[in-house]
Amino acid sequence: MKNIRLKVARVEKDLSQDELARIVGVSRQTIGLIELGKYNPSLSLCIAICKALSRTLNDLFWDDEQT
């Protein structure tokens, strides 16, 4: 499942995938794969992304439909 919320939050912060990747210490490809739903990031990476985008884990990674 694509992570549209992550992409929207990144765009709202006016960051490219490459810029976000540099902030959190991963490759641009990793950010792209997370947005496409083809990579499940570690909890520490999720937290780093949330901090970089000023969002919570629930905002970006919690899927209410899977509860």
PDB file of all heavy atoms in Angstrom, residues 15-31:
ATOM      1  N   LEU A  15      10.320  19.497   0.473  1.00  0.00           N
ATOM      2  CA  LEU A  15      11.523  18.673   0.423  1.00  0.00           C
ATOM      3  C   LEU A  15      11.414  17.667  -0.713  1.00  0.00           C
ATOM      4  O   LEU A  15      10.351  17.085  -0.930  1.00  0.00           O
ATOM      5  CB  LEU A  15      11.697  17.895   1.731  1.00  0.00           C
ATOM      6  CG  LEU A  15      12.003  18.680   2.999  1.00  0.00           C
ATOM      7  CD1 LEU A  15      11.959  17.758   4.209  1.00  0.00           C
ATOM      8  CD2 LEU A  15      13.363  19.346   2.894  1.00  0.00           C
ATOM      9  N   SER A  16      12.515  17.464  -1.405  1.00  0.00           N
ATOM     10  CA  SER A  16      12.567  16.391  -2.396  1.00  0.00           C
ATOM     11  C   SER A  16      12.856  15.085  -1.655  1.00  0.00           C
ATOM     12  O   SER A  16      13.221  15.086  -0.474  1.00  0.00           O
ATOM     13  CB  SER A  16      13.684  16.659  -3.405  1.00  0.00           C
ATOM     14  OG  SER A  16      14.955  16.572  -2.772  1.00  0.00           O
ATOM     15  N   GLN A  17      12.704  13.967  -2.355  1.00  0.00           N
ATOM     16  CA  GLN A  17      13.062  12.682  -1.749  1.00  0.00           C
ATOM     17  C   GLN A  17      14.525  12.691  -1.342  1.00  0.00           C
ATOM     18  O   GLN A  17      14.884  12.194  -0.274  1.00  0.00           O
ATOM     19  CB  GLN A  17      12.792  11.531  -2.717  1.00  0.00           C
ATOM     20  CG  GLN A  17      11.344  11.213  -2.912  1.00  0.00           C
ATOM     21  CD  GLN A  17      11.123  10.034  -3.848  1.00  0.00           C
ATOM     22  OE1 GLN A  17      12.038   9.595  -4.548  1.00  0.00           O
ATOM     23  NE2 GLN A  17       9.906   9.523  -3.866  1.00  0.00           N
ATOM     24  N   ASP A  18      15.372  13.258  -2.186  1.00  0.00           N
ATOM     25  CA  ASP A  18      16.803  13.298  -1.903  1.00  0.00           C
ATOM     26  C   ASP A  18      17.102  14.132  -0.662  1.00  0.00           C
ATOM     27  O   ASP A  18      17.906  13.724   0.183  1.00  0.00           O
ATOM     28  CB  ASP A  18      17.550  13.858  -3.114  1.00  0.00           C
ATOM     29  CG  ASP A  18      19.053  13.726  -2.976  1.00  0.00           C
ATOM     30  OD1 ASP A  18      19.533  12.603  -2.731  1.00  0.00           O
ATOM     31  OD2 ASP A  18      19.749  14.754  -3.099  1.00  0.00           O
ATOM     32  N   GLU A  19      16.433  15.272  -0.520  1.00  0.00           N
ATOM     33  CA  GLU A  19      16.665  16.121   0.647  1.00  0.00           C
ATOM     34  C   GLU A  19      16.222  15.428   1.935  1.00  0.00           C
ATOM     35  O   GLU A  19      16.949  15.450   2.937  1.00  0.00           O
ATOM     36  CB  GLU A  19      15.926  17.454   0.485  1.00  0.00           C
ATOM     37  CG  GLU A  19      16.533  18.343  -0.596  1.00  0.00           C
ATOM     38  CD  GLU A  19      15.647  19.508  -0.980  1.00  0.00           C
ATOM     39  OE1 GLU A  19      14.395  19.355  -0.966  1.00  0.00           O
ATOM     40  OE2 GLU A  19      16.207  20.571  -1.299  1.00  0.00           O
ATOM     41  N   LEU A  20      15.044  14.807   1.919  1.00  0.00           N
ATOM     42  CA  LEU A  20      14.580  14.077   3.098  1.00  0.00           C
ATOM     43  C   LEU A  20      15.526  12.924   3.415  1.00  0.00           C
ATOM     44  O   LEU A  20      15.862  12.692   4.579  1.00  0.00           O
ATOM     45  CB  LEU A  20      13.153  13.568   2.893  1.00  0.00           C
ATOM     46  CG  LEU A  20      12.570  12.737   4.042  1.00  0.00           C
ATOM     47  CD1 LEU A  20      12.583  13.520   5.355  1.00  0.00           C
ATOM     48  CD2 LEU A  20      11.169  12.259   3.696  1.00  0.00           C
ATOM     49  N   ALA A  21      15.963  12.234   2.391  1.00  0.00           N
ATOM     50  CA  ALA A  21      16.887  11.109   2.592  1.00  0.00           C
ATOM     51  C   ALA A  21      18.172  11.567   3.272  1.00  0.00           C
ATOM     52  O   ALA A  21      18.658  10.909   4.201  1.00  0.00           O
ATOM     53  CB  ALA A  21      17.195  10.455   1.242  1.00  0.00           C
ATOM     54  N   ARG A  22      18.717  12.699   2.833  1.00  0.00           N
ATOM     55  CA  ARG A  22      19.940  13.213   3.452  1.00  0.00           C
ATOM     56  C   ARG A  22      19.715  13.589   4.909  1.00  0.00           C
ATOM     57  O   ARG A  22      20.559  13.331   5.761  1.00  0.00           O
ATOM     58  CB  ARG A  22      20.483  14.423   2.675  1.00  0.00           C
ATOM     59  CG  ARG A  22      21.315  13.990   1.484  1.00  0.00           C
ATOM     60  CD  ARG A  22      22.032  15.147   0.830  1.00  0.00           C
ATOM     61  NE  ARG A  22      21.225  15.511  -0.346  1.00  0.00           N
ATOM     62  CZ  ARG A  22      20.917  16.746  -0.682  1.00  0.00           C
ATOM     63  NH1 ARG A  22      21.339  17.761   0.014  1.00  0.00           N
ATOM     64  NH2 ARG A  22      20.194  16.981  -1.746  1.00  0.00           N
ATOM     65  N   ILE A  23      18.551  14.172   5.210  1.00  0.00           N
ATOM     66  CA  ILE A  23      18.242  14.566   6.589  1.00  0.00           C
ATOM     67  C   ILE A  23      18.193  13.353   7.514  1.00  0.00           C
ATOM     68  O   ILE A  23      18.702  13.395   8.630  1.00  0.00           O
ATOM     69  CB  ILE A  23      16.908  15.345   6.638  1.00  0.00           C
ATOM     70  CG1 ILE A  23      17.068  16.708   5.967  1.00  0.00           C
ATOM     71  CG2 ILE A  23      16.424  15.517   8.073  1.00  0.00           C
ATOM     72  CD1 ILE A  23      15.750  17.422   5.703  1.00  0.00           C
ATOM     73  N   VAL A  24      17.588  12.264   7.039  1.00  0.00           N
ATOM     74  CA  VAL A  24      17.406  11.091   7.908  1.00  0.00           C
ATOM     75  C   VAL A  24      18.498  10.032   7.735  1.00  0.00           C
ATOM     76  O   VAL A  24      18.494   9.030   8.442  1.00  0.00           O
ATOM     77  CB  VAL A  24      16.001  10.460   7.735  1.00  0.00           C
ATOM     78  CG1 VAL A  24      14.928  11.460   8.089  1.00  0.00           C
ATOM     79  CG2 VAL A  24      15.785   9.907   6.338  1.00  0.00           C
ATOM     80  N   GLY A  25      19.413  10.239   6.801  1.00  0.00           N
ATOM     81  CA  GLY A  25      20.566   9.356   6.671  1.00  0.00           C
ATOM     82  C   GLY A  25      20.343   8.082   5.887  1.00  0.00           C
ATOM     83  O   GLY A  25      20.927   7.048   6.215  1.00  0.00           O
ATOM     84  N   VAL A  26      19.482   8.151   4.854  1.00  0.00           N
ATOM     85  CA  VAL A  26      19.269   6.993   3.984  1.00  0.00           C
ATOM     86  C   VAL A  26      19.398   7.448   2.528  1.00  0.00           C
ATOM     87  O   VAL A  26      19.624   8.623   2.261  1.00  0.00           O
ATOM     88  CB  VAL A  26      17.876   6.339   4.213  1.00  0.00           C
ATOM     89  CG1 VAL A  26      17.771   5.800   5.631  1.00  0.00           C
ATOM     90  CG2 VAL A  26      16.745   7.307   3.921  1.00  0.00           C
ATOM     91  N   SER A  27      19.226   6.525   1.602  1.00  0.00           N
ATOM     92  CA  SER A  27      19.299   6.881   0.190  1.00  0.00           C
ATOM     93  C   SER A  27      17.952   7.412  -0.312  1.00  0.00           C
ATOM     94  O   SER A  27      16.906   7.153   0.296  1.00  0.00           O
ATOM     95  CB  SER A  27      19.698   5.663  -0.656  1.00  0.00           C
ATOM     96  OG  SER A  27      18.635   4.727  -0.664  1.00  0.00           O
ATOM     97  N   ARG A  28      17.989   8.128  -1.407  1.00  0.00           N
ATOM     98  CA  ARG A  28      16.760   8.609  -2.033  1.00  0.00           C
ATOM     99  C   ARG A  28      15.885   7.441  -2.429  1.00  0.00           C
ATOM    100  O   ARG A  28      14.664   7.493  -2.310  1.00  0.00           O
ATOM    101  CB  ARG A  28      17.075   9.462  -3.271  1.00  0.00           C
ATOM    102  CG  ARG A  28      15.805  10.031  -3.915  1.00  0.00           C
ATOM    103  CD  ARG A  28      15.945  10.308  -5.395  1.00  0.00           C
ATOM    104  NE  ARG A  28      16.436   9.211  -6.183  1.00  0.00           N
ATOM    105  CZ  ARG A  28      15.706   8.171  -6.613  1.00  0.00           C
ATOM    106  NH1 ARG A  28      14.443   8.067  -6.315  1.00  0.00           N
ATOM    107  NH2 ARG A  28      16.251   7.221  -7.342  1.00  0.00           N
ATOM    108  N   GLN A  29      16.506   6.352  -2.857  1.00  0.00           N
ATOM    109  CA  GLN A  29      15.752   5.171  -3.253  1.00  0.00           C
ATOM    110  C   GLN A  29      14.946   4.606  -2.088  1.00  0.00           C
ATOM    111  O   GLN A  29      13.829   4.138  -2.276  1.00  0.00           O
ATOM    112  CB  GLN A  29      16.691   4.094  -3.825  1.00  0.00           C
ATOM    113  CG  GLN A  29      17.287   4.458  -5.170  1.00  0.00           C
ATOM    114  CD  GLN A  29      18.534   5.343  -5.077  1.00  0.00           C
ATOM    115  OE1 GLN A  29      18.950   5.769  -4.004  1.00  0.00           O
ATOM    116  NE2 GLN A  29      19.126   5.635  -6.230  1.00  0.00           N
ATOM    117  N   THR A  30      15.511   4.656  -0.888  1.00  0.00           N
ATOM    118  CA  THR A  30      14.799   4.161   0.289  1.00  0.00           C
ATOM    119  C   THR A  30      13.533   4.971   0.529  1.00  0.00           C
ATOM    120  O   THR A  30      12.457   4.408   0.760  1.00  0.00           O
ATOM    121  CB  THR A  30      15.707   4.193   1.533  1.00  0.00           C
ATOM    122  OG1 THR A  30      16.831   3.335   1.301  1.00  0.00           O
ATOM    123  CG2 THR A  30      14.968   3.741   2.782  1.00  0.00           C
ATOM    124  N   ILE A  31      13.638   6.285   0.449  1.00  0.00           N
ATOM    125  CA  ILE A  31      12.456   7.139   0.633  1.00  0.00           C
ATOM    126  C   ILE A  31      11.431   6.827  -0.455  1.00  0.00           C
ATOM    127  O   ILE A  31      10.231   6.699  -0.175  1.00  0.00           O
ATOM    128  CB  ILE A  31      12.832   8.636   0.619  1.00  0.00           C
ATOM    129  CG1 ILE A  31      13.799   8.973   1.768  1.00  0.00           C
ATOM    130  CG2 ILE A  31      11.575   9.515   0.676  1.00  0.00           C
ATOM    131  CD1 ILE A  31      13.264   8.734   3.158  1.00  0.00           C
TER     132      ILE A  31
END
